[in-house]
Amino acid sequence: MILIEDIKKQIPYVLKGTSFTNLGDVYEGKVRDNYTLGDRRLIVVTDRLSAFDCIITEIPFKGQVLNQMATFWFEKTKDIIGNHMISVPDPNVIEVMEVSPMPAEMVVRAYITGSTSTSAWLNYKNGVRNFCGNVLPEGLKKDQKLDVPILTPSTKAEHGAHDESVSKEEILKRGEITEEEFDFMAKASFELFKRGTEIAAKQGIILVDTKYEFGKTKDGKIILIDEIHTPDSSRFWYADEYQARFEAGEEQKKIDKEYVRLWLVDQGFTGEGQVPNVPDEIKVEAARRYIEAYELITGTTFNAQIGDVHARVEQNLAKYI
Ligand SMILES: Nc1ncnc2c1ncn2[C@@H]1O[C@H](COP(=O)(O)OP(=O)(O)OP(=O)(O)O)[C@@H](O)[C@H]1O
Ligand SMILES: [Mg+2]
């Protein structure tokens, strides 16, 4: 386990962003900077933390945690479906195959939860009993485990817009994905989810829900892209406290940005107006939790290198120029 002192030392060195000019076309997501040149893409996972669709601050080592968690899972699932990973040139960077993204995201949920207007739970609470083509039984409670995991596909919104949860039929109606392609992605998603659930369970973690993205290679093969089973694309709960909290109607103990979100809500921020200035102790505790989650889920020790992340990334990517 990392020392709090070491996390503190890293605060001035967090990776806020990059602006490399000779690595190809750049696409800046909320968290990742993507550089595309020909048939390869370099995804730089920064330390930015987003919440309520805003970039809030940077958390020491968050980029490394997320990148290494994704590469851990790509490795652990490559027998189920091929993925875009080529190499890991830096702890914060993955080199991937550039492919055409499939215009739908596959969300798998094993529990009914969430609090936003698009969440399965809020829909259910408001009377919805058919969620994206899944018929849900009466009497479910928040955070209850579903009999079997369900698939709730989502449209891929343009930069900045909100994705929409839809059924298979609605995806097919758009005419951009064939039924065969959809079924292939659906099958892979359930298998990936099963693998994720099993590996997480051994570490005392519940994989609650997650989102997969797929892309098509030049020769028409569908592969897994983007990120997999990271705290930015998935919900994780601590298994040992699940039942007691569920029965008491309490919030689950979560591995994600919930810690910072709750702090923001305490400051009166829920996405509107000025983003509050996040104090160092909140950043340090958020980092500690990310690293703890990494070590728990992967069963390996996090290798923290204190120092200028931007300089290291630049050096490690020099060979791509
Ligand atoms: N191997 C790949 N080939 C082509 N596109 C990819 C590949 N991997 C990921 N992508 C796409 O690149 C984009 C990465 O964007 P990123 O996730 O950084 O930001 P975003 O999705 O626009 O916003 P957010 O920050 O909310 O996630 C996504 O649209 C993703 O589907
Ligand atoms: Mg994204």
Side-chain angles (χ1 to χ4, degrees), residues 32 105 211 213 226-227:
R32 295 172 295 172
E105 300 185 346
K211 173 212 76 173
E213 292 189 37
D226 208 58
E227 57 188 325

Side-chain angles (χ1 to χ4, degrees), residues 80-81 106-108 151 183-194 210 212 214 229:
I80 297 174
I81 180 171
M106 302 300 249
V107 179
V108 181
L151 182 71
D183 290 346
F184 178 83
M185 294 192 288
K187 183 165 179 279
S189 299
F190 283 122
E191 286 174 16
L192 292 167
F193 194 82
K194 183 163 179 276
T210 195
Y212 303 108
F214 298 87
H229 302 165

Side-chain angles (χ1 to χ4, degrees), residues 20 23 62 85 101 110 112 114 130-131 135 137 154 162 180-182 186-187 189 223 228 232 237 248 255 272 307:
F20 301 126
L23 286 178
K62 173 176 181 275
M85 179 163 68
I112 185 156
N130 186 325
F131 190 59
V135 178
S154 147
H162 293 280
E180 196 191 351
E181 288 169 342
F182 185 94
K187 183 165 179 279
S189 299
I223 61 167
I228 164 172
D232 276 4
W237 294 337
I255 293 179
E272 307 293 317

